[in-house]
Amino acid sequence: MNLPEKYTESMKMMLGDEYDSYIESFNDKRLYGLRVNNLKISTEDFLKICPFKLEPVPWIENGFYYSEDDKPAKHPYYFAGLYYIQEPSAMTPANVLPIEEGDVVFDMCAAPGGKSTELAAKLNKTGLIITNDISNSRAKALLKNVEVFGVPNLCVLNEDPVGIASRFSGFFDKVLIDAPCSGEGMFRKDETAIKEWTPENVTLCAERQKSILAEAEKMLKPGGVLVYSTCTFAPAEDEEILLWFLRTYPDFHVEDYHDILSLDISDGNPDFISDEMKPLSDNEIQSIHGSLRLWPHKVRGEGHFAVRLKKQDGEPPIQKKKKKSSGKNILSKSDRKQFIDFISEFVSETNDYEDKRYEYFGDELYMVPEQMPELKGIKLVRAGLHIATKKKNRFEPAHAFAKYLKPDDVKQYYECSLEEAEKYLHGDVLQTSDERLSTSKGFILVCYNGLSLGWGKITNGTIKNHYPKGLRINY
C-alpha cells in the first residue's frame, strides 16, 4: 500500500509501538457488514429467516458481519428494506445518538442514508427526522434508501447548512454530523481516498467541519444532544475540532458513553493536540478522553472517531411561530373524498388515513408529519411519505407507500416465492393460480415472506408489474 509520507509520519507519532500492527492490518481481508432495519423486523426475528452466515458486530446490537461469498445486496430482502449494507465501524455514530420516540432529529450530512435509516428506526414512526445532503445527486441516493426502509416521518433536504440554520433555530432535539473529512480511516478499503489525501486537504476539511458545527449549534435545542463523527484519524479533524468546539461553545459538555459499548474502544487522546492549542485544562483533558476512536488494528472495522455533546439546559430561543403549511397545497375537500375512496379500495383500515395531514407537491400527494414546519424557500427533495400520484379523476399509489405498508394493512396481497420475487424485481409479469385472488382486480401489494416489494395490478390472475423501472435489477 503506497501511503503518503506525511501521513505515515503522523501515524507513527500517534501510534508509536502500535504502528506496525496498524500497517499489518492492511493485509487483513475487507470486512462486510449489514444492519437490520428494526422498523420492519426485530433482530431476533431477522436471524430466524436470514439466509446468510452472520457474525455479530460486538458494539452494535443490530449489526452483523457477513461473508464476502454471500450477496445480500442481491437478495429480495435487501429490496424489501430489511437491512442496510454498511461498514461495521460506520454504524457507530447513529448507535450512540440517544434517540427517544417523539424526538425531532436532524442528520446534517446524511447521504447515502445509512445513519438516517437507523435514526428513523429508533424513532419508530414517531416524531420527525429531517435528513440532508448538500449534493443533489447524493440527496437522491439518500431518498431512495430512506424510502425503501419504509420511513414515513421524514423530510429530505438538499441544502447548505447555513440556509437550514436560518430557518430551524433551536428546533432539533438531536443532531448527527458525520462530517465530510479526509477519509484516512477508509484507506484500507478505498485506494481513491489515499490518492486524494494531502495535508492541505486535512486543513481544508477541518475548516469545513468548524463551519458545519457552528450551524448545527444554532439548530439544537437547549438540553439537546449532538454527535460529531468522522472516518479519519487526523487529530486536526478529531480531537482538535472537539477542543475548538468546547472552547467556542462553553454551554456544551462531553457525554462519556463508553459504558454502552460492548468492547474496549480507544479514548480520544489529549496527547494528539498540537502545541498551538496547548495548554489544556483538566476538564478539557477529561472531555477529550470522553470521545472515542476505532482503530482497524484493534477492532474488526475501519477507522472512526465520534463524540457525544450535550447542550446546557435553558430557555429555547424566542422565534416566530412557524406555519405548518403554505395553505395552497393542502388537500381540498373534493380531493380528500376522492383520496379516501381511492385508499379504501386496497387499504384495510381507512380510518388510519382520514385525519392525517396531506400536501401536494405538483401532482404528487404526501402524508406529512404534524411536526413538519413551513419549508418554502428550502431546497426540498421529499417531505413526508409519498402516498400517491394524482391522475385524471383518480389517484395511483406511489412506490414509497408500498414500502411503508405490510400485508396485514391491505385488502389484497400476493405472497411470492423466491423465484417469483426475483422475477418481479426484474420487472416481469407474474401469474398466479391462487383461488383467493381469482376474482381480484386493481392494485395488489406484491410481497416476499411477509415483506412488501412493491405494487402490481391484478386482472384474471395476471399481475402486471408496477415496480419502478429505474429500480429494476438483473439477476
Side-chain angles (χ1 to χ4, degrees):
M1 191 68 67
N2 188 23
L3 296 171
E5 183 178 353
K6 291 283 188 182
Y7 171 73
T8 57
E9 289 175 0
S10 173
M11 294 299 287
K12 286 177 182 178
M13 291 179 62
M14 292 167 65
L15 290 171
D17 294 341
E18 295 182 21
Y19 177 75
D20 289 341
S21 296
Y22 166 67
I23 293 299
E24 287 173 9
S25 73
F26 280 88
N27 297 321
D28 296 337
K29 286 185 177 182
R30 177 180 171 179
L31 295 165
Y32 299 86
L34 64 82
R35 198 198 66 251
V36 180
N37 178 10
N38 292 146
L39 196 61
K40 290 197 173 185
I41 193 171
S42 70
T43 303
E44 182 182 7
D45 286 343
F46 171 74
L47 292 175
K48 293 176 183 176
I49 65 171
C50 178
F52 317 119
K53 183 179 179 180
L54 301 180
E55 183 182 348
V57 176
W59 66 99
I60 306 291
E61 290 184 0
N62 59 336
F64 296 89
Y65 302 98
Y66 67 87
S67 168
E68 61 181 320
D69 296 329
D70 289 322
K71 305 295 180 185
K74 291 184 175 292
H75 196 280
Y77 284 155
Y78 175 76
F79 299 93
L82 208 59
Y83 48 77
Y84 187 91
I85 306 297
Q86 190 171 31
E87 192 281 312
S89 292
M91 300 177 188
T92 305
N95 187 59
V96 298
L97 187 62
I99 302 297
E100 299 176 12
E101 291 191 9
D103 276 346
V104 178
V105 181
F106 184 37
D107 188 358
M108 184 181 283
C109 311
K115 298 168 182 68
S116 289
T117 52
E118 175 64 3
L119 299 176
K122 288 183 175 184
L123 284 172
N124 193 27
K125 301 180 182 178
T126 68
L128 172 67
I129 177 166
I130 295 182
T131 180
N132 174 73
D133 202 275
I134 195 170
S135 162
N136 181 262
S137 61
R138 286 171 58 83
K140 290 177 180 177
L142 164 63
L143 171 63
K144 173 181 172 291
N145 285 319
V146 292
E147 281 193 340
V148 78
F149 259 48
V151 180
N153 53 323
L154 84 155
C155 173
V156 181
L157 304 181
N158 169 215
E159 187 62 86
D160 185 281
V162 174
I164 300 172
S166 66
R167 300 283 295 277
F168 292 99
S169 176
F171 186 73
F172 296 102
D173 299 295
K174 310 287 165 60
V175 173
L176 176 62
I177 302 173
D178 189 44
C181 67
S182 58
E184 297 174 358
M186 297 294 110
F187 280 6
R188 190 171 65 165
K189 72 170 224 176
D190 185 1
E191 291 191 21
T192 302
I194 299 174
K195 294 175 183 178
E196 294 177 349
W197 186 92
T198 64
E200 292 76 19
N201 190 41
V202 171
T203 301
L204 180 64
C205 287
E207 290 305 311
R208 184 186 299 124
Q209 290 150 6
K210 289 178 182 179
S211 66
I212 291 172
L213 278 163
E215 301 307 322
E217 182 278 332
K218 300 172 187 174
M219 292 185 268
L220 193 66
K221 291 179 181 177
V225 177
L226 180 155
V227 165
Y228 170 79
S229 65
T230 72
C231 59
T232 193
F233 302 125
E237 301 176 66
D238 295 340
E239 285 91 348
E240 291 187 6
I241 288 291
L242 169 59
L243 184 58
W244 166 84
F245 186 81
L246 292 172
R247 288 176 174 178
T248 307
Y249 304 101
D251 55 339
F252 280 81
H253 69 269
V254 171
E255 283 195 326
D256 190 331
Y257 50 91
H258 289 62
D259 59 335
I260 72 170
L261 302 172
S262 57
L263 80 170
D264 185 20
I265 291 176
S266 302
D267 293 353
N269 194 334
D271 293 339
F272 295 167
I273 298 293
S274 62
D275 291 340
E276 289 80 3
M277 298 189 75
K278 292 178 179 176
L280 307 180
S281 69
D282 290 343
N283 187 55
E284 289 172 338
I285 292 171
Q286 182 180 355
S287 294
I288 291 171
H289 279 305
S291 62
L292 64 82
R293 280 180 171 269
L294 279 70
W295 297 98
H297 63 287
K298 289 189 172 184
V299 301
R300 294 184 61 206
E302 305 304 326
H304 235 82
F305 173 89
V307 62
R308 192 161 87 186
L309 295 146
K310 185 175 177 64
K311 193 173 190 178
Q312 183 176 318
D313 287 325
E315 292 296 322
I318 298 174
Q319 50 188 296
K320 294 180 181 178
K321 186 176 181 181
K322 294 182 173 68
K323 297 179 181 178
K324 287 187 175 181
S325 171
S326 60
K328 62 183 179 181
N329 289 326
I330 296 176
L331 195 63
S332 67
K333 288 183 179 180
S334 60
D335 276 357
R336 181 176 290 275
K337 182 181 184 304
Q338 190 178 70
F339 172 71
I340 295 301
D341 289 343
F342 148 78
I343 207 106
S344 65
E345 292 179 12
F346 56 90
V347 171
S348 302
E349 296 292 339
T350 57
N351 290 340
D352 293 341
Y353 299 90
E354 290 180 353
D355 60 348
K356 302 295 185 181
R357 175 184 164 201
Y358 295 96
E359 292 190 19
Y360 279 118
F361 293 85
D363 291 327
E364 308 303 326
L365 183 67
Y366 296 81
M367 186 168 71
V368 181
E370 286 299 323
Q371 290 162 290
M372 188 76 75
E374 166 62 46
L375 295 168
K376 187 177 181 180
I378 293 283
K379 292 179 183 177
L380 183 65
V381 180
R382 179 62 47 85
L385 177 65
H386 189 194
I387 292 284
T389 301
K390 185 169 175 56
K391 306 284 187 177
K392 186 177 180 179
N393 299 321
R394 65 185 176 88
F395 285 98
E396 187 168 297
H399 180 65
F401 190 29
K403 309 308 293 185
Y404 170 74
L405 295 168
K406 303 185 293 293
D408 289 346
D409 297 330
V410 297
K411 291 181 178 178
Q412 54 185 24
Y413 66 91
Y414 180 61
E415 180 65 34
C416 291
S417 66
L418 177 59
E419 181 182 2
E420 287 176 316
E422 291 174 346
K423 287 182 177 179
Y424 173 78
L425 294 169
H426 184 265
D428 295 348
V429 172
L430 301 180
Q431 299 288 341
T432 175
S433 58
D434 189 340
E435 292 184 4
R436 181 177 58 89
L437 299 173
S438 60
T439 60
S440 295
K441 291 184 179 181
F443 284 98
I444 185 169
L445 197 65
V446 180
C447 302
Y448 172 67
N449 210 0
L451 298 157
S452 167
L453 297 176
W455 294 112
K457 203 167 187 179
I458 188 169
T459 305
N460 298 325
T462 298
I463 301 176
K464 184 179 178 181
N465 199 308
H466 277 247
Y467 194 72
K469 292 181 179 180
L471 300 179
R472 294 176 183 180
I473 60 171
N474 292 316
Y475 279 93

